Amino acid sequence: MSGEKMADNGDDEDGNEGDSGAAKKNRVDEFIANPRKAVWQLAVPVMLGMAVQTAYSFTDMIFVGQLGSDAIAALTFNMPLGFFSIGITFGLGIGATSAIARLLGAKNKSGADNAASHALLVGMIAGLLIPALGLLFKNRIFAALGVPPHVLEGALIYFSIIAPSFVFSNLNVQFRSILTGEGDTRTPIAFQVGGTLLNLVLDPLLIFTAGWGIAGAAWATLISQAAVFLVFFYYFFIRRGTYLEPPIRAFVYSWTVVKQILQIGLPASLSMVVMSTGGMFFNRLVSRFGSDAVAAFGIGGRLDSVYFLPTFALASSMVTLTGMFYGAGRIDLIRKTVYYVFIRGQYMALVFGAVFYFFAPEIFSIFTDDEAILSMATSYIRTMVFAFPFVTVGVISGRVFQGLGEGVPSLLLTAMRVVLVSGALAFLFVHVLEMGLESIWLALALGGGITSTVATGWIWLRLNRLERETAEGV
């Protein structure tokens, strides 16, 4: 169990040998000594990076919003497609983080090095394949999404430019996942923040000064992602600033290593695909109520992200810590850390929920002065905040499963939320009962609440079983 032999391509190492070992060390013992400190050591840099990213998302929407509601709708229709691409590679990245963390917990550095190389290989393949297919079938995709004719041109222009950037963003996620697996979230977030600030500078220059409109927003993203990729490449292979040393020239392909990454990565990626497909479904359903409704859904989702992104950051620490503790055989620390993160996550959910509920109209007025859009966006967020406490524990539970090397539970829970609960209820409310737009918001909130309750019970049962197995010496 805790001493599982994963990607054993050399003798186990404590990480203190070689040129890099003097300056960099395996963080497992440090995290075991103080798990609570480790949670924030991992989560805070991610939170700060996400805060910058969220601020950029707000600013980006403000810039695009000045081009009119059709431009906002075009950007909104592209959001699920971008989420589809990044979702797949984030899923693969979670697989890499989990595998690397468990290997380091078991003091198998050579195996972790090899896993890092394979993570980059998998990311490169996905990074090339996904945008190629997207560009090939873009017209069919937007037709399936139900994009109105007056929005279609802007949506296609944006996607045709943004799709190639997925190559860089996918590899950037793999670089970040490798560093997260070794317990370093500060460095990749610093690179991400730099890219976001570059994007922020380029946006107004290309949208307004150059007069490129919505195409300018897409070009700004592409250039920024390419710049971040170059920085990561330099840090890994020229400066050699990482603890792990992914072999390139001496790389030897191993299906066993790929399988270990895909064991978590494929279910996690499929979960993202389900969420992305669900986003497309909900966009199409919302579009029945007009492009203003789609725009409201888009800016409502941006405010959602202010809560979701730091929550995901807090939860993401559990992939690394659970993996390291599991690999080191310290099952006792997993439950204690989960409970600690649950409580802190609830504080965040309640604070964000209260602020959003009472100040939503004022916040949304930053994006648009259209009263219809403001009203619909406000009704969306004032419904969703009631699901925040439930969603928090659900997200954390899913990350714990992934840290344990189990990807299927998160996939099943995502499918339950998106398809069986939210999707089914939204279809019933709109098509059968002929209820209004707000019924879609209700379906989304119920899906999050019900599924997260199931997730919490499931992870608690799994931890009970692990503790029994440990006590029995299994």
Side-chain angles (χ1 to χ4, degrees):
M1 184 185 66
S2 61
E4 57 186 325
K5 293 184 179 180
M6 301 171 53
D8 192 2
N9 297 299
D11 295 332
D12 290 352
E13 303 177 32
D14 63 8
N16 294 315
E17 301 178 6
D19 294 337
S20 64
K24 296 175 282 293
K25 62 180 181 179
N26 192 337
R27 293 177 171 86
V28 174
D29 293 337
E30 174 188 342
F31 290 169
I32 287 176
N34 196 336
R36 293 187 176 188
K37 179 181 177 181
V39 167
W40 299 109
Q41 189 173 336
L42 291 168
V44 169
V46 179
M47 288 183 185
L48 293 176
M50 288 183 168
V52 173
Q53 181 62 41
T54 301
Y56 164 72
S57 297
F58 270 61
T59 307
D60 187 47
M61 186 64 81
I62 293 171
F63 289 145
V64 174
Q66 294 180 42
L67 300 174
S69 62
D70 285 352
I72 297 177
L75 189 61
T76 301
F77 275 111
N78 269 278
M79 287 169 59
L81 301 179
F83 185 75
F84 180 89
S85 173
I86 296 299
I88 290 178
T89 195
F90 260 108
L92 297 173
I94 290 172
T97 296
S98 177
I100 289 169
R102 282 178 283 134
L103 285 161
L104 291 177
K107 301 297 179 67
N108 183 359
K109 181 180 181 295
S110 61
D113 287 339
N114 200 30
S117 291
H118 283 76
L120 293 176
L121 174 65
V122 171
M124 182 173 64
I125 293 172
L128 292 171
L129 183 61
I130 295 170
L133 292 175
L135 290 170
L136 182 63
F137 297 106
K138 62 182 179 181
N139 290 304
R140 296 181 184 179
I141 292 172
F142 282 112
L145 290 175
V147 181
H150 60 282
V151 176
L152 182 59
E153 181 181 1
L156 286 171
I157 289 173
Y158 186 87
F159 181 75
S160 296
I161 300 168
I162 204 73
S165 75
F166 296 161
V167 178
F168 300 113
S169 59
N170 286 352
L171 283 169
N172 292 342
V173 168
Q174 298 309 313
F175 283 124
R176 188 172 79 180
S177 298
I178 292 168
L179 287 168
T180 300
E182 68 175 54
D184 178 9
T185 57
R186 184 178 302 176
T187 300
I189 292 304
F191 296 164
Q192 176 191 333
V193 168
T196 300
L197 294 176
L198 175 61
N199 203 340
L200 185 61
V201 171
L202 291 175
D203 254 347
L205 291 176
L206 299 182
I207 294 173
F208 304 114
T209 305
W212 293 356
I214 194 170
W219 276 111
T221 299
L222 190 154
I223 294 170
S224 301
Q225 290 295 333
V228 173
F229 167 76
L230 292 175
V231 174
F232 268 123
F233 188 87
Y234 169 81
Y235 186 75
F236 266 72
F237 301 113
I238 298 177
R239 180 182 170 184
R240 297 186 179 277
T242 60
Y243 167 67
L244 293 179
E245 301 167 309
I248 299 298
R249 293 181 180 178
F251 173 75
V252 178
Y253 173 78
S254 169
W255 168 243
T256 301
V257 179
V258 173
K259 185 168 65 175
Q260 289 162 0
I261 293 173
L262 296 183
Q263 183 178 352
I264 305 300
L266 273 183
S269 294
L270 289 174
S271 295
M272 300 292 188
V273 170
V274 170
M275 287 190 284
S276 177
T277 304
M280 298 177 197
F281 166 78
F282 283 107
N283 269 341
R284 185 177 180 89
L285 201 61
V286 170
S287 70
R288 290 170 56 90
F289 298 91
S291 60
D292 282 355
V294 176
F297 190 32
I299 64 174
R302 293 299 170 105
L303 188 56
D304 249 350
S305 68
V306 176
Y307 152 72
F308 279 114
L309 293 182
T311 300
F312 287 147
L314 184 64
S316 70
S317 68
M318 293 307 302
V319 179
T320 300
L321 293 178
T322 301
M324 286 183 171
F325 296 162
Y326 184 59
R330 294 299 307 271
I331 308 302
D332 58 308
L333 291 180
I334 298 177
R335 183 189 289 273
K336 294 178 181 178
T337 310
V338 169
Y339 181 75
Y340 177 80
V341 174
F342 271 176
I343 298 300
R344 273 61 190 175
Q346 289 303 309
Y347 294 157
M348 291 170 53
L350 293 174
V351 170
F352 279 118
V355 171
F356 292 172
Y357 188 90
F358 291 107
F359 299 102
E362 289 77 14
I363 297 172
F364 287 132
S365 65
I366 298 172
F367 300 112
T368 181
D369 57 3
D370 188 304
E371 291 297 331
I373 296 176
L374 284 172
S375 176
M376 288 184 284
T378 299
S379 71
Y380 167 83
I381 201 66
R382 283 182 170 171
T383 302
M384 291 302 299
V385 295
F386 290 101
F388 285 1
F390 299 96
V391 172
T392 296
V393 294
V395 170
I396 295 168
S397 298
R399 295 299 182 267
V400 175
F401 273 121
Q402 290 166 344
L404 292 172
E406 302 172 16
V408 173
S410 292
L411 173 59
L412 295 178
L413 290 166
T414 299
M416 175 183 175
R417 175 176 61 81
V418 176
V419 180
L420 297 181
V421 183
S422 293
L425 285 176
F427 184 88
L428 174 67
F429 291 159
V430 174
H431 288 285
V432 178
L433 301 179
E434 298 183 349
M435 298 170 64
L437 178 64
E438 292 185 359
S439 68
I440 301 177
W441 315 153
L442 177 61
L444 288 166
L446 288 173
I450 293 171
T451 306
S452 296
T453 301
V454 173
T456 306
W458 194 350
I459 194 60
W460 229 244
L461 291 174
R462 183 70 182 96
L463 292 177
N464 287 340
R465 179 183 171 187
L466 276 176
E467 289 170 344
R468 286 198 304 270
E469 290 174 350
T470 302
E472 295 168 2
V474 177

